[in-house]
Amino acid sequence: MKFWKEHTNLRVTLITLFFFVGLGLVIYGWTLTGKLSGLGLMIAGVILLLAALMIYNKPFETEKRKL
């Protein structure tokens, strides 16, 4: 978890990139109504949006202690 706390510029860049590419894929896939490729593009876009959310939340996770 320390990696994401120490490299904030990389984290912000990846979040921004994943967010805008994912949003673009969802919107473009939405315009392909009735085609299976549109559904695939929207799913890929949602995966990128979830990856951006995961990267955003990584520094706030607490480390699990072994008993």
Side-chain angles (χ1 to χ4, degrees):
M1 300 316 134
K2 290 182 181 180
F3 178 80
W4 293 113
K5 286 182 182 180
E6 295 171 357
H7 298 88
T8 55
N9 290 334
L10 175 65
R11 186 173 56 125
V12 169
T13 304
L14 284 176
I15 290 170
T16 305
L17 179 72
F18 284 175
F19 178 77
F20 285 114
V21 171
L23 194 60
L25 283 174
V26 168
I27 291 171
Y28 181 68
W30 192 9
T31 62
L32 300 176
T33 304
K35 297 181 182 175
L36 194 57
S37 60
L39 177 63
L41 288 175
M42 287 193 299
I43 290 173
V46 168
I47 289 171
L48 284 176
L49 290 172
L50 289 174
L53 185 64
M54 182 193 72
I55 292 172
Y56 174 79
N57 285 327
K58 274 294 184 191
F60 305 110
E61 288 181 356
T62 57
E63 293 185 21
K64 297 176 184 175
R65 294 183 183 175
K66 292 185 179 181
L67 298 176

